[in-house]
Amino acid sequence: MFAEDEAELLRRHAAGADELADLCARRIAGEPLEHLLGWVQFGNLRLSVGFGVFVPRQRSLLLAQEAIDAATGRPGAVVLEAFCGVAPIASAVAATVDGVQVHAADIAADALVHARRNLPDDAQIHHGTGFDAVPESLAGRVDVIAAVPPYVPDHAFGLLAPEARDHEPRRALTGGVDGLDHVDTLVDAAQTWLSDTGTLLIEMNVAQFDAVAAGDGRRAFDIDAVAGDDGQTVVARFRRWLPGRGVRFRERPAAG
Ligand SMILES: C[S@@+](CC[C@H](N)C(=O)[O-])C[C@H]1O[C@@H](n2cnc3c(N)ncnc32)[C@H](O)[C@@H]1O
């Protein structure tokens, strides 16, 4: 977005000249535009965000579409956005697919305040680490798990834009030495929570996909990647591998 466009949004948001001057000064000093406005446009949704929470990225529209596609045509599908933040993916699915049961989980209570505003009243929000707060009754019943886990390698934190580095929680951004700590958590958890015909969808960087697909425990899944237009983002799709199902995302390597 050009500076002129940002200025116009701040002008419309400010109650008067003093507030506008304050907002402009803070934006110039590096505060994210979305924190100042209190919202982010995500596809056709205007999502609530606020200070100190991760702002959904436009690249995650790819994951949102994959989650919508995976839930469509499955009446009563159970959809869980793990590592949900303000719950952009769950909100997009709830707004697009009729009759889904939507759940969202995150460790950050302040982000979940916004998730509550963004999601329909019947969506369930779970506050906890990883899948700890997800009700046991969902074990083996989740049809779509979608996640944007923190996936920046620790060493790359300093390369992030100041808006992220200085104004979003570090635990929302970095995911260990290779950025894949939480991806491994998700793949492990999918074995417990996914239904037999369910799909796990994880956003990551294209450079991480091969390592993810080759990791421990992956032979339980058919895995493929959906590439974004930016040349950087991919959504890794995992489906339980069931002998004889016949439909595969890709050929599995020979055993041994
Ligand atoms: C990259 S942000 C993505 C948020 C949201 N899905 C989005 O796209 O806007 C990652 C999220 O993971 C959450 N998180 C980090 N560590 C976590 C953990 N151990 N358990 C649960 N959530 C965690 C952060 O609070 C943050 O909201």
Side-chain angles (χ1 to χ4, degrees):
M1 192 182 292
F2 292 111
E4 292 81 358
D5 301 322
E6 293 200 12
E8 179 55 25
L9 289 170
L10 292 175
R11 194 173 296 124
R12 277 189 233 157
H13 180 74
D18 287 351
E19 190 185 2
L20 180 59
D22 175 57
L23 291 172
C24 287
R26 289 164 62 184
R27 179 70 191 106
I28 289 164
E31 284 191 49
L33 175 70
E34 297 83 357
H35 284 178
L36 297 172
L37 295 174
W39 55 266
V40 60
Q41 195 68 33
F42 188 72
N44 56 10
L45 300 177
R46 181 171 287 198
L47 299 176
S48 175
V49 298
F51 300 113
V53 307
F54 182 89
V55 177
R57 307 299 203 255
Q58 299 306 306
R59 59 175 166 263
S60 299
L61 288 167
L62 176 69
L63 175 62
Q65 189 58 54
E66 286 302 314
I68 288 166
D69 290 349
T72 298
R74 301 179 72 131
V78 178
V79 178
L80 167 65
E81 182 175 1
F83 298 86
C84 70
V86 306
I89 310 305
S91 299
V93 174
T96 311
V97 188
D98 288 336
V100 281
Q101 292 177 44
V102 172
H103 295 257
D106 200 281
I107 199 171
D110 49 357
L112 294 179
V113 170
H114 296 280
R116 185 68 280 164
R117 292 180 193 146
N118 293 330
L119 287 165
D121 290 346
D122 61 358
Q124 293 185 43
I125 293 177
H126 312 291
H127 178 211
T129 303
F131 286 67
D132 288 356
V134 178
E136 274 180 30
S137 58
L138 292 186
R141 292 187 43 229
V142 184
D143 298 301
V144 183
I145 300 173
V148 183
Y151 61 83
V152 175
D154 289 346
H155 65 82
F157 177 73
L159 302 175
L160 294 174
E163 281 90 341
R165 218 175 47 221
D166 300 337
H167 297 280
E168 294 179 323
R170 182 163 181 154
R171 77 174 170 196
L173 299 166
T174 55
V177 172
D178 55 5
L180 300 178
D181 288 1
H182 300 293
V183 172
D184 290 335
T185 300
L186 279 158
V187 178
D188 288 348
Q191 311 248 23
T192 301
W193 299 97
L194 217 49
S195 68
D196 280 352
T197 57
T199 305
L200 166 67
L201 301 165
I202 312 176
E203 180 185 299
M204 62 191 65
N205 187 276
V206 63
Q208 295 172 316
F209 177 76
D210 285 348
V212 167
D216 290 343
R218 302 322 194 245
R219 287 196 59 78
F221 297 96
D222 286 322
I223 309 169
D224 76 347
V226 182
D229 292 337
D230 60 5
Q232 292 294 315
T233 310
V234 298
V235 171
R237 299 191 296 190
F238 294 71
R239 289 199 312 174
R240 276 190 200 284
W241 184 76
L242 297 175
R245 185 166 61 185
V247 178
R248 293 188 175 178
F249 283 157
R250 64 171 169 75
E251 282 306 308
R252 293 168 62 78

